[in-house]
Amino acid sequence: MPDPPHAVDPVQLGAYFALIEVSDLLRHAIEQQLREDGDLTFVQFQVLMRLSRSPTGSHRMTDLADAIVHSRSGLTYQAGLLAKAGLVTRSPSPHDERSTTVTVTDAGRALIAQVLPGHEQVVSQMLFEPLSRDDARALAGLLEPVRDHMRAAPPRSATPRRRRGRSSSSRGGP
Amino acid sequence: MPDPPHAVDPVQLGAYFALIEVSDLLRHAIEQQLREDGDLTFVQFQVLMRLSRSPTGSHRMTDLADAIVHSRSGLTYQAGLLAKAGLVTRSPSPHDERSTTVTVTDAGRALIAQVLPGHEQVVSQMLFEPLSRDDARALAGLLEPVRDHMRAAPPRSATPRRRRGRSSSSRGGP
DNA sequence: TCTACTTGCTTCGAATTCGAAGCAGGGTTA
DNA sequence: TAACCCTGCTTCGAATTCGAAGCAAGTAGA
């Protein structure tokens, strides 16, 4: 067999690099716009958006964490900031005493309304200006199955280790 | 005019959300694999990869920073870690005394060789498993023009402000 | 040459993120 | 009911990132 089953050909490599760089630049531009227009982080914006789109205006902490951030503690921190700013409220869940329900306030909705036009402008200009309507449809058609595939598949066996910095010789030597 | 020129239609919204989530999940999976296989951050991996691919095995700090990270100080920090681990060396540039040239060491190349198979495996399984060869080509064909467009366009007028957390009433109230 | 501006990098403080550990409420089984 | 495990969230320490400020070397103009 000439190649291992996971070889990445040049075309794939190009798509992979472009994906990484595009999402990186896009995210950076979005963060700047949100900071200028409403003093929001992208994570905070995502939390508020998700709450705003919910029929009840609220979600459980865990559901928000799974959807937006990769750790529970990260959401605890952000929810604390948003609550302190009066953009959300936190209350114990009626059915489960240990669960916390997060709800958008009117101020939160107002802030979303304030930053949303600029947000759409940035996304439109940076991401969709070079893409036709059919291109956008094709892009969605390619990425949505990938997203579903990623959500289904666990990301390998999990055995976290220490990071570089500290622990003098973890691998390559001094 | 019914819509402002930057309106985002549902198809675009789907592509945008999928892009954000795909890159987020992919990056997270990659970071885990690199940590397990070689105790590397994605940023550190990108630095080593870029150096390895250079004919001289070296680059200036600024060029690395522009390509990989969004601040100079961030690269200074990472280069310090990599140098302490013996994966790169830093030396003053011959032509410009204030410029620092970063060069991969043999240990750095060896570490790249060590983590690269796992890296390709993750990218292949997570990103390209649901995509045919033509899909990958189409994805590259869509994203590469977007990347070039983003690199060309400045990200709006730059006027950074403070972030939420501190500065009691920056917007929404107490 | 001298002054002023620019460029390349580092240092510093603050903010964000994560994982591990801890705590309390829920659920299950004997 | 009691013992045990799972679930949901928070607290804590460490690591990473950025922007602002600072410093040294290069460059241009008078």
PDB file of all heavy atoms in Angstrom, chain B residues 60-62 73 76 98 100, chain C residues 7-11 15-16:
ATOM      1  N   ARG B  60      11.935  35.581  10.153  1.00  0.00           N
ATOM      2  CA  ARG B  60      11.987  36.688  11.107  1.00  0.00           C
ATOM      3  C   ARG B  60      10.796  36.594  12.060  1.00  0.00           C
ATOM      4  O   ARG B  60       9.740  36.060  11.712  1.00  0.00           O
ATOM      5  CB  ARG B  60      11.914  38.029  10.375  1.00  0.00           C
ATOM      6  CG  ARG B  60      13.054  38.255   9.394  1.00  0.00           C
ATOM      7  CD  ARG B  60      13.037  39.690   8.918  1.00  0.00           C
ATOM      8  NE  ARG B  60      11.667  40.117   8.601  1.00  0.00           N
ATOM      9  CZ  ARG B  60      11.263  41.372   8.614  1.00  0.00           C
ATOM     10  NH1 ARG B  60      12.097  42.328   8.937  1.00  0.00           N
ATOM     11  NH2 ARG B  60      10.026  41.680   8.296  1.00  0.00           N
ATOM     12  N   MET B  61      10.958  37.132  13.232  1.00  0.00           N
ATOM     13  CA  MET B  61       9.879  37.131  14.213  1.00  0.00           C
ATOM     14  C   MET B  61       8.611  37.759  13.640  1.00  0.00           C
ATOM     15  O   MET B  61       7.514  37.218  13.751  1.00  0.00           O
ATOM     16  CB  MET B  61      10.309  37.909  15.458  1.00  0.00           C
ATOM     17  CG  MET B  61      11.396  37.263  16.276  1.00  0.00           C
ATOM     18  SD  MET B  61      10.783  35.899  17.279  1.00  0.00           S
ATOM     19  CE  MET B  61       9.821  36.778  18.493  1.00  0.00           C
ATOM     20  N   THR B  62       8.771  38.913  13.036  1.00  0.00           N
ATOM     21  CA  THR B  62       7.612  39.643  12.520  1.00  0.00           C
ATOM     22  C   THR B  62       6.843  38.832  11.492  1.00  0.00           C
ATOM     23  O   THR B  62       5.601  38.810  11.508  1.00  0.00           O
ATOM     24  CB  THR B  62       8.081  40.967  11.891  1.00  0.00           C
ATOM     25  OG1 THR B  62       8.589  41.807  12.927  1.00  0.00           O
ATOM     26  CG2 THR B  62       6.941  41.669  11.201  1.00  0.00           C
ATOM     27  N   SER B  73       3.763  40.364  20.703  1.00  0.00           N
ATOM     28  CA  SER B  73       4.103  39.866  22.042  1.00  0.00           C
ATOM     29  C   SER B  73       3.747  38.396  22.199  1.00  0.00           C
ATOM     30  O   SER B  73       4.445  37.648  22.891  1.00  0.00           O
ATOM     31  CB  SER B  73       3.386  40.699  23.094  1.00  0.00           C
ATOM     32  OG  SER B  73       2.016  40.807  22.819  1.00  0.00           O
ATOM     33  N   THR B  76       6.601  36.459  20.772  1.00  0.00           N
ATOM     34  CA  THR B  76       7.758  36.518  21.677  1.00  0.00           C
ATOM     35  C   THR B  76       7.621  35.461  22.763  1.00  0.00           C
ATOM     36  O   THR B  76       8.580  34.736  23.070  1.00  0.00           O
ATOM     37  CB  THR B  76       7.850  37.914  22.318  1.00  0.00           C
ATOM     38  OG1 THR B  76       8.108  38.882  21.307  1.00  0.00           O
ATOM     39  CG2 THR B  76       8.964  37.958  23.346  1.00  0.00           C
ATOM     40  N   ARG B  98      18.326  44.849  14.726  1.00  0.00           N
ATOM     41  CA  ARG B  98      17.203  44.742  15.682  1.00  0.00           C
ATOM     42  C   ARG B  98      16.305  43.557  15.368  1.00  0.00           C
ATOM     43  O   ARG B  98      15.459  43.177  16.172  1.00  0.00           O
ATOM     44  CB  ARG B  98      16.405  46.053  15.678  1.00  0.00           C
ATOM     45  CG  ARG B  98      15.766  46.362  14.386  1.00  0.00           C
ATOM     46  CD  ARG B  98      15.813  47.865  14.062  1.00  0.00           C
ATOM     47  NE  ARG B  98      15.813  47.943  12.629  1.00  0.00           N
ATOM     48  CZ  ARG B  98      14.929  48.630  11.901  1.00  0.00           C
ATOM     49  NH1 ARG B  98      14.049  49.404  12.476  1.00  0.00           N
ATOM     50  NH2 ARG B  98      14.956  48.547  10.608  1.00  0.00           N
ATOM     51  N   THR B 100      15.245  39.671  14.791  1.00  0.00           N
ATOM     52  CA  THR B 100      15.630  38.371  15.329  1.00  0.00           C
ATOM     53  C   THR B 100      15.215  37.278  14.356  1.00  0.00           C
ATOM     54  O   THR B 100      14.073  37.235  13.909  1.00  0.00           O
ATOM     55  CB  THR B 100      14.946  38.127  16.682  1.00  0.00           C
ATOM     56  OG1 THR B 100      15.379  39.122  17.613  1.00  0.00           O
ATOM     57  CG2 THR B 100      15.293  36.755  17.224  1.00  0.00           C
TER      58      THR B 100
ATOM     59  P    DT C   7       7.120  51.850   9.508  1.00  0.00           P
ATOM     60  OP1  DT C   7       6.814  51.431   8.131  1.00  0.00           O
ATOM     61  OP2  DT C   7       6.059  51.998  10.515  1.00  0.00           O
ATOM     62  O5'  DT C   7       8.206  50.847  10.095  1.00  0.00           O
ATOM     63  C5'  DT C   7       9.521  50.874   9.563  1.00  0.00           C
ATOM     64  C4'  DT C   7      10.378  49.835  10.266  1.00  0.00           C
ATOM     65  O4'  DT C   7      10.863  50.373  11.529  1.00  0.00           O
ATOM     66  C3'  DT C   7       9.648  48.534  10.617  1.00  0.00           C
ATOM     67  O3'  DT C   7      10.507  47.454  10.309  1.00  0.00           O
ATOM     68  C2'  DT C   7       9.383  48.670  12.114  1.00  0.00           C
ATOM     69  C1'  DT C   7      10.617  49.458  12.557  1.00  0.00           C
ATOM     70  N1   DT C   7      10.450  50.247  13.807  1.00  0.00           N
ATOM     71  C2   DT C   7      11.461  50.232  14.731  1.00  0.00           C
ATOM     72  O2   DT C   7      12.479  49.593  14.580  1.00  0.00           O
ATOM     73  N3   DT C   7      11.229  51.007  15.840  1.00  0.00           N
ATOM     74  C4   DT C   7      10.110  51.776  16.110  1.00  0.00           C
ATOM     75  O4   DT C   7      10.012  52.428  17.140  1.00  0.00           O
ATOM     76  C5   DT C   7       9.085  51.742  15.100  1.00  0.00           C
ATOM     77  C7   DT C   7       7.830  52.536  15.279  1.00  0.00           C
ATOM     78  C6   DT C   7       9.306  50.993  14.008  1.00  0.00           C
ATOM     79  P    DG C   8      10.040  45.935  10.439  1.00  0.00           P
ATOM     80  OP1  DG C   8      10.701  45.148   9.380  1.00  0.00           O
ATOM     81  OP2  DG C   8       8.576  45.952  10.581  1.00  0.00           O
ATOM     82  O5'  DG C   8      10.660  45.488  11.840  1.00  0.00           O
ATOM     83  C5'  DG C   8      12.058  45.267  11.932  1.00  0.00           C
ATOM     84  C4'  DG C   8      12.361  44.633  13.270  1.00  0.00           C
ATOM     85  O4'  DG C   8      12.185  45.630  14.304  1.00  0.00           O
ATOM     86  C3'  DG C   8      11.452  43.457  13.644  1.00  0.00           C
ATOM     87  O3'  DG C   8      12.246  42.374  14.098  1.00  0.00           O
ATOM     88  C2'  DG C   8      10.553  44.021  14.737  1.00  0.00           C
ATOM     89  C1'  DG C   8      11.432  45.100  15.364  1.00  0.00           C
ATOM     90  N9   DG C   8      10.712  46.209  15.977  1.00  0.00           N
ATOM     91  C8   DG C   8       9.564  46.798  15.510  1.00  0.00           C
ATOM     92  N7   DG C   8       9.142  47.786  16.263  1.00  0.00           N
ATOM     93  C5   DG C   8      10.074  47.854  17.290  1.00  0.00           C
ATOM     94  C6   DG C   8      10.148  48.724  18.401  1.00  0.00           C
ATOM     95  O6   DG C   8       9.384  49.639  18.723  1.00  0.00           O
ATOM     96  N1   DG C   8      11.267  48.446  19.199  1.00  0.00           N
ATOM     97  C2   DG C   8      12.183  47.454  18.947  1.00  0.00           C
ATOM     98  N2   DG C   8      13.188  47.334  19.812  1.00  0.00           N
ATOM     99  N3   DG C   8      12.124  46.638  17.898  1.00  0.00           N
ATOM    100  C4   DG C   8      11.051  46.891  17.125  1.00  0.00           C
ATOM    101  P    DC C   9      11.527  40.988  14.468  1.00  0.00           P
ATOM    102  OP1  DC C   9      12.480  39.913  14.170  1.00  0.00           O
ATOM    103  OP2  DC C   9      10.161  40.953  13.900  1.00  0.00           O
ATOM    104  O5'  DC C   9      11.421  41.115  16.045  1.00  0.00           O
ATOM    105  C5'  DC C   9      12.648  41.194  16.771  1.00  0.00           C
ATOM    106  C4'  DC C   9      12.408  41.731  18.154  1.00  0.00           C
ATOM    107  O4'  DC C   9      11.637  42.942  18.096  1.00  0.00           O
ATOM    108  C3'  DC C   9      11.622  40.820  19.083  1.00  0.00           C
ATOM    109  O3'  DC C   9      12.549  40.120  19.910  1.00  0.00           O
ATOM    110  C2'  DC C   9      10.741  41.785  19.900  1.00  0.00           C
ATOM    111  C1'  DC C   9      11.160  43.153  19.399  1.00  0.00           C
ATOM    112  N1   DC C   9      10.068  44.143  19.338  1.00  0.00           N
ATOM    113  C2   DC C   9       9.981  45.133  20.310  1.00  0.00           C
ATOM    114  O2   DC C   9      10.829  45.155  21.198  1.00  0.00           O
ATOM    115  N3   DC C   9       8.982  46.045  20.252  1.00  0.00           N
ATOM    116  C4   DC C   9       8.081  45.984  19.270  1.00  0.00           C
ATOM    117  N4   DC C   9       7.121  46.900  19.255  1.00  0.00           N
ATOM    118  C5   DC C   9       8.134  44.974  18.266  1.00  0.00           C
ATOM    119  C6   DC C   9       9.139  44.081  18.334  1.00  0.00           C
ATOM    120  P    DT C  10      11.979  39.086  21.010  1.00  0.00           P
ATOM    121  OP1  DT C  10      13.051  38.122  21.309  1.00  0.00           O
ATOM    122  OP2  DT C  10      10.645  38.632  20.573  1.00  0.00           O
ATOM    123  O5'  DT C  10      11.786  40.019  22.299  1.00  0.00           O
ATOM    124  C5'  DT C  10      12.870  40.847  22.716  1.00  0.00           C
ATOM    125  C4'  DT C  10      12.474  41.628  23.959  1.00  0.00           C
ATOM    126  O4'  DT C  10      11.505  42.652  23.613  1.00  0.00           O
ATOM    127  C3'  DT C  10      11.834  40.799  25.073  1.00  0.00           C
ATOM    128  O3'  DT C  10      12.466  41.128  26.295  1.00  0.00           O
ATOM    129  C2'  DT C  10      10.374  41.216  25.040  1.00  0.00           C
ATOM    130  C1'  DT C  10      10.451  42.635  24.535  1.00  0.00           C
ATOM    131  N1   DT C  10       9.258  43.141  23.811  1.00  0.00           N
ATOM    132  C2   DT C  10       8.630  44.266  24.257  1.00  0.00           C
ATOM    133  O2   DT C  10       8.986  44.886  25.236  1.00  0.00           O
ATOM    134  N3   DT C  10       7.543  44.657  23.507  1.00  0.00           N
ATOM    135  C4   DT C  10       7.053  44.037  22.379  1.00  0.00           C
ATOM    136  O4   DT C  10       6.071  44.474  21.787  1.00  0.00           O
ATOM    137  C5   DT C  10       7.750  42.846  21.972  1.00  0.00           C
ATOM    138  C7   DT C  10       7.293  42.100  20.769  1.00  0.00           C
ATOM    139  C6   DT C  10       8.808  42.461  22.696  1.00  0.00           C
ATOM    140  P    DT C  11      12.097  40.288  27.606  1.00  0.00           P
ATOM    141  OP1  DT C  11      13.362  40.105  28.337  1.00  0.00           O
ATOM    142  OP2  DT C  11      11.279  39.118  27.242  1.00  0.00           O
ATOM    143  O5'  DT C  11      11.200  41.306  28.445  1.00  0.00           O
ATOM    144  C5'  DT C  11      11.659  42.640  28.641  1.00  0.00           C
ATOM    145  C4'  DT C  11      10.609  43.452  29.386  1.00  0.00           C
ATOM    146  O4'  DT C  11       9.557  43.864  28.477  1.00  0.00           O
ATOM    147  C3'  DT C  11       9.907  42.725  30.540  1.00  0.00           C
ATOM    148  O3'  DT C  11       9.828  43.607  31.649  1.00  0.00           O
ATOM    149  C2'  DT C  11       8.541  42.399  29.969  1.00  0.00           C
ATOM    150  C1'  DT C  11       8.310  43.578  29.033  1.00  0.00           C
ATOM    151  N1   DT C  11       7.389  43.331  27.906  1.00  0.00           N
ATOM    152  C2   DT C  11       6.413  44.255  27.628  1.00  0.00           C
ATOM    153  O2   DT C  11       6.248  45.266  28.266  1.00  0.00           O
ATOM    154  N3   DT C  11       5.619  43.954  26.535  1.00  0.00           N
ATOM    155  C4   DT C  11       5.720  42.839  25.729  1.00  0.00           C
ATOM    156  O4   DT C  11       4.954  42.677  24.785  1.00  0.00           O
ATOM    157  C5   DT C  11       6.757  41.897  26.080  1.00  0.00           C
ATOM    158  C7   DT C  11       6.938  40.653  25.282  1.00  0.00           C
ATOM    159  C6   DT C  11       7.535  42.190  27.139  1.00  0.00           C
ATOM    160  P    DA C  15      -8.930  43.469  33.573  1.00  0.00           P
ATOM    161  OP1  DA C  15      -9.937  44.541  33.464  1.00  0.00           O
ATOM    162  OP2  DA C  15      -8.700  42.760  34.840  1.00  0.00           O
ATOM    163  O5'  DA C  15      -9.246  42.384  32.453  1.00  0.00           O
ATOM    164  C5'  DA C  15      -9.045  42.719  31.093  1.00  0.00           C
ATOM    165  C4'  DA C  15      -9.198  41.487  30.226  1.00  0.00           C
ATOM    166  O4'  DA C  15      -7.998  40.696  30.297  1.00  0.00           O
ATOM    167  C3'  DA C  15     -10.355  40.564  30.627  1.00  0.00           C
ATOM    168  O3'  DA C  15     -11.071  40.213  29.468  1.00  0.00           O
ATOM    169  C2'  DA C  15      -9.645  39.366  31.270  1.00  0.00           C
ATOM    170  C1'  DA C  15      -8.311  39.350  30.545  1.00  0.00           C
ATOM    171  N9   DA C  15      -7.199  38.783  31.301  1.00  0.00           N
ATOM    172  C8   DA C  15      -6.830  39.084  32.584  1.00  0.00           C
ATOM    173  N7   DA C  15      -5.772  38.417  33.004  1.00  0.00           N
ATOM    174  C5   DA C  15      -5.430  37.625  31.923  1.00  0.00           C
ATOM    175  C6   DA C  15      -4.400  36.702  31.725  1.00  0.00           C
ATOM    176  N6   DA C  15      -3.496  36.384  32.653  1.00  0.00           N
ATOM    177  N1   DA C  15      -4.333  36.084  30.523  1.00  0.00           N
ATOM    178  C2   DA C  15      -5.243  36.400  29.591  1.00  0.00           C
ATOM    179  N3   DA C  15      -6.257  37.249  29.662  1.00  0.00           N
ATOM    180  C4   DA C  15      -6.293  37.844  30.864  1.00  0.00           C
ATOM    181  P    DT C  16     -12.414  39.392  29.596  1.00  0.00           P
ATOM    182  OP1  DT C  16     -13.317  39.973  28.590  1.00  0.00           O
ATOM    183  OP2  DT C  16     -12.807  39.317  31.023  1.00  0.00           O
ATOM    184  O5'  DT C  16     -12.001  37.929  29.105  1.00  0.00           O
ATOM    185  C5'  DT C  16     -11.379  37.793  27.843  1.00  0.00           C
ATOM    186  C4'  DT C  16     -10.823  36.395  27.690  1.00  0.00           C
ATOM    187  O4'  DT C  16      -9.727  36.211  28.608  1.00  0.00           O
ATOM    188  C3'  DT C  16     -11.817  35.263  28.004  1.00  0.00           C
ATOM    189  O3'  DT C  16     -11.943  34.472  26.827  1.00  0.00           O
ATOM    190  C2'  DT C  16     -11.173  34.498  29.161  1.00  0.00           C
ATOM    191  C1'  DT C  16      -9.709  34.879  29.020  1.00  0.00           C
ATOM    192  N1   DT C  16      -8.901  34.824  30.262  1.00  0.00           N
ATOM    193  C2   DT C  16      -7.776  34.045  30.286  1.00  0.00           C
ATOM    194  O2   DT C  16      -7.412  33.369  29.332  1.00  0.00           O
ATOM    195  N3   DT C  16      -7.078  34.060  31.475  1.00  0.00           N
ATOM    196  C4   DT C  16      -7.399  34.783  32.610  1.00  0.00           C
ATOM    197  O4   DT C  16      -6.703  34.718  33.610  1.00  0.00           O
ATOM    198  C5   DT C  16      -8.587  35.578  32.515  1.00  0.00           C
ATOM    199  C7   DT C  16      -9.029  36.397  33.696  1.00  0.00           C
ATOM    200  C6   DT C  16      -9.266  35.566  31.362  1.00  0.00           C
TER     201       DT C  16
END
